[in-house]
Amino acid sequence: MGRSQTNHTKQEVTQAGAFLARLADRGRTIGQCQQADIDARHTESPATRRPSRSFLRW
């Protein structure tokens, strides 16, 4: 794995963790996640959209 791919993967993992933490701050688990939670995350942090995509698709 090259340096670029490694950095991208690290960003994906970091953003997945940040999204889960944000859900927890809102009193929700991943099973309770709603579209509004995803929209709020993207609105608050537009730069995280791409690194978050893989996790959110899952």
Side-chain angles (χ1 to χ4, degrees), residues 6 14 18 20 29 35 37 40:
T6 300
T14 297
L20 292 172
T29 65
Q35 184 64 45
D37 298 310

Side-chain angles (χ1 to χ4, degrees), residues 4-50:
S4 179
Q5 182 61 40
T6 300
N7 288 338
H8 179 74
T9 302
K10 285 180 182 178
Q11 285 180 334
E12 287 181 337
V13 171
T14 297
Q15 293 309 316
F19 180 73
L20 292 172
R22 179 69 175 123
L23 280 178
D25 288 346
R26 296 178 122 194
R28 297 186 197 271
T29 65
I30 190 68
Q32 298 167 320
C33 180
Q34 299 176 356
Q35 184 64 45
D37 298 310
I38 296 168
D39 293 345
R41 175 73 176 157
H42 285 324
T43 300
E44 294 164 3
S45 304
T48 66
R49 286 180 188 169
R50 191 165 197 200

Side-chain angles (χ1 to χ4, degrees), residues 52-58:
S52 299
R53 190 177 301 153
S54 295
F55 177 73
L56 294 175
R57 283 185 182 166
W58 170 78

